[in-house]
């Protein structure tokens, strides 16, 4: 997917760790934004307001 299968050894491991950390950061920011955007609406709906 990212071409990581062509790199081996310590460089490949470092690249894989970097990709995983980048993905985690993107998901963290994305879910945080989604929660701020949709969270209040869901909370009001669950409270019956």
């Amino acid at each position: 997917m990212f071409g990581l299968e062509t790199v081996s050894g310590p460089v490949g491991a470092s690249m894989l760790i970097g990709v995983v950390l980048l993905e985690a950061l993107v998901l963290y920011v994305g879910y945080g934004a989604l929660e701020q955007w949709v969270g209040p609406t869901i909370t009001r709906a669950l409270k019956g307001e």
Side-chain angles (χ1 to χ4, degrees), residues 1-27:
M1 184 163 77
F2 292 106
L4 295 177
E5 56 276 351
T6 60
V7 182
S8 62
V11 174
S14 298
M15 288 180 65
L16 181 60
I17 291 170
V19 168
V20 169
L21 288 174
L22 180 64
E23 181 183 3
L25 180 64
V26 168
L27 288 172

